[in-house]
């Protein structure tokens, strides 16, 4: 990994030099736009609307327009802002971990100690762990003043940028003003259904199915060209139904869901591992098995083969 920023965590007179690294990365397949007729690449040009010329990046500045006047802000103007010049991650306060709303979390960064002496870094990490608190910090990064949460993840300090309070929308929906009556029976069934899906979160069990299939499609087209048979590549695909056409009583739906879950051993697979990420696939598989079973029974009844007869006789001879 390459450090994107260097600075220091400061609280009181304590100074902890750190290097900042992006903690996450995008795993999506990179796609670009082309002309569908000939595959020609579609590119966007930076054209000035006054002289019609293509402008190189070094001559592109930012500007603010209030509708009547335009103020051009050059890179030097922006770099002169006091907040941008600061290289400090300034601790404002230490708050209990459970007071942070996950909705406010934005980007995550790893902090590596940027000093031969690790004592100050280790001391801050240990203090946060023992107190079960998170440091709320202010800092400037990429021409923005940021609010952040400094916490511990394993042996490393993690800095997570937070949205400002006015960037989080208020959830105001008229439909939530009603308070429907919920019976104890409904609560019990809902809790039973939830328990059948209960487990420990293990992120490595989950994968991005769309990106996996996209890569599979790209590889197939590279090998076979545009004449590939997608049904052969992915198998026959059933259309997903939203279920909006059928109104099912809530109690009935809960009861049937609990019974189905109990009948299939819950949402856990071999080794007790939960297959929550594949719930829809599991349901399809169960439906497919049921359909296959019905087809097999029908075929067995209509078949007059000797094999079927022998099987029936053998089953009849078996003791109850």
């Amino acid at each position: 990994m390459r450090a994107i920023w260097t600075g220091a965590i400061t609280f009181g007179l304590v100074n902890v030099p750190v290097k900042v690294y992006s903690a996450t990365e995008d795993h999506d397949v990179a796609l670009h736009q082309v002309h569908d007729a000939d595959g020609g690449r579609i590119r966007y040009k930076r054209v000035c609307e006054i002289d019609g010329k293509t402008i190189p990046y070094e001559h592109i500045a930012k500007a603010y327009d209030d509708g009547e006047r335009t103020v051009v802000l050059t890179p030097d103007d922006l770099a002169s802002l006091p907040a941008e010049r600061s290289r400090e991650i300034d601790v404002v306060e230490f708050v209990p971990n459970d007071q942070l709303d996950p909705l406010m979390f934005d980007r995550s960064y790893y902090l590596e100690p940027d000093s031969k002496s690790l004592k100050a870094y280790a001391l801050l990490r240990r203090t946060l762990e023992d107190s079960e608190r998170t440091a709320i910090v202010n800092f400037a990064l990429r021409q923005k003043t940021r609010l952040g949460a400094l916490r511990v993840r394993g042996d490393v300090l993690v800095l997570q940028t937070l949205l400002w309070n006015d960037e989080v929308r208020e959830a105001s929906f008229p439909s939530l003003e009603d308070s429907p009556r919920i019976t104890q029976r409904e609560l019990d069934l809902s809790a039973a259904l939830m328990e059948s899906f209960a487990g420990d979160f293990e992120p490595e069990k989950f994968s991005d199915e769309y990106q996996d299939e996209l890569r599979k499609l790209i590889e197939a087209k590279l090998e076979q060209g545009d004449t590939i048979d997608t049904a052969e590549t992915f198998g026959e695909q059933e259309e997903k139904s939203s279920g909006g056409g059928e109104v099912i009583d809530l109690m009935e739906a809960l009861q049937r869901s609990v019974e189905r879950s109990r009948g299939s051993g819950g949402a856990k697979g071999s080794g007790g591992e939960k297959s929550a990420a594949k719930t829809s696939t599991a349901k399809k598989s169960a439906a497919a098995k049921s359909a296959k079973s019905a087809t097999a029974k029908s075929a067995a009844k209509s078949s007059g083969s000797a094999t079927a007869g022998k099987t029936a006789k053998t089953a009849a001879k078996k003791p109850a």
Side-chain angles (χ1 to χ4, degrees):
M1 289 191 290
R2 182 173 61 87
I4 63 170
W5 191 82
T6 57
I9 304 167
T10 61
F11 60 107
L13 298 178
V14 179
N15 186 284
V16 185
V18 292
K19 295 178 181 179
V20 180
Y21 300 82
S22 292
T24 60
E25 59 185 359
D26 189 355
H27 70 191
D28 288 0
V29 176
L31 302 176
H32 55 255
Q33 295 182 324
V34 297
H35 183 193
D36 60 356
D38 55 21
R41 184 76 176 267
I42 305 297
R43 298 183 183 276
Y44 293 95
K45 295 183 178 181
R46 304 171 298 279
V47 178
C48 174
E49 64 179 20
I50 294 178
D51 60 18
K53 294 181 180 178
T54 300
I55 310 301
Y57 279 113
E58 60 266 25
H59 290 297
I60 294 179
K62 295 183 178 180
Y64 172 78
D65 190 338
D66 65 2
E68 296 180 0
R69 297 166 299 175
T70 298
V71 176
V72 177
L73 300 170
T74 67
D76 289 339
D77 291 333
L78 297 173
S80 70
L81 295 174
E84 174 63 17
R85 294 200 307 270
S86 172
R87 310 296 286 183
E88 292 184 348
I89 301 172
D90 187 30
V91 175
V92 179
E93 58 186 0
F94 293 94
V95 302
N97 294 337
D98 59 8
Q99 288 188 359
L100 287 171
D101 185 350
L103 187 64
M104 297 188 70
F105 290 133
D106 193 12
R107 300 294 299 272
S108 300
Y109 301 91
Y110 290 136
L111 302 185
E112 178 193 16
D114 188 19
S115 171
K116 292 182 180 179
S117 174
L118 303 180
K119 190 168 186 178
Y121 184 97
L123 178 62
L124 175 58
R125 182 185 62 202
R126 178 68 180 272
T127 304
L128 288 172
E129 280 184 316
D130 292 349
S131 64
E132 295 184 351
R133 288 181 176 266
T134 296
I136 302 301
V137 301
N138 275 324
F139 65 105
L141 177 65
R142 292 173 175 168
Q143 299 180 347
K144 281 188 177 182
T145 301
R146 317 267 181 166
L147 184 67
L150 185 65
R151 62 181 186 85
V152 180
R153 186 177 189 268
D155 293 331
V156 67
L157 290 175
V158 174
L159 176 62
Q160 290 181 281
T161 56
L162 299 175
L163 299 173
W164 297 100
N165 186 60
D166 61 358
E167 292 181 314
V168 179
R169 292 178 173 179
E170 190 71 25
S172 179
F173 305 109
S175 58
L176 295 179
E177 294 174 3
D178 296 332
S179 298
R181 180 177 174 273
I182 298 175
T183 66
Q184 187 59 46
R185 176 62 175 162
E186 289 169 336
L187 279 173
D188 292 342
L189 284 172
S190 182
L193 181 58
M194 183 184 296
E195 185 60 31
S196 70
F197 283 88
D200 295 320
F201 179 55
E202 300 174 31
E204 65 275 8
K205 292 191 303 186
F206 301 87
S207 63
D208 189 338
E209 187 176 351
Y210 178 83
Q211 291 297 321
D212 292 342
E213 291 178 350
L214 179 57
R215 288 185 175 88
K216 187 175 181 180
L217 175 63
I218 290 172
E219 290 172 3
K221 294 201 75 168
L222 286 172
E223 292 178 4
Q224 304 171 37
D226 292 334
T227 59
I228 69 163
D229 183 349
T230 54
E232 182 181 337
T233 303
F234 298 109
E236 293 295 337
Q237 301 294 304
E238 297 178 13
E239 284 192 19
K240 293 183 180 179
S241 173
S242 63
E246 183 182 1
V247 179
I248 301 178
D249 178 77
L250 179 58
M251 280 288 289
E252 182 188 352
L254 287 169
Q255 185 69 53
R256 283 165 53 182
S257 297
V258 170
E259 289 172 357
R260 177 186 294 179
S261 180
R262 287 173 177 168
S264 60
K268 297 181 181 182
S270 60
E273 290 190 353
K274 185 180 175 188
S275 57
K278 303 292 181 183
T279 300
S280 60
T281 306
K283 288 180 180 177
K284 283 184 182 179
S285 177
K289 285 179 181 176
S290 177
K292 264 186 195 174
S293 176
T295 304
K297 287 178 182 176
S298 176
K301 285 180 181 178
S302 60
S303 172
S305 66
T307 304
K310 287 179 182 178
T311 304
K313 288 178 182 178
T314 303
K317 289 179 181 179
K318 286 185 180 178

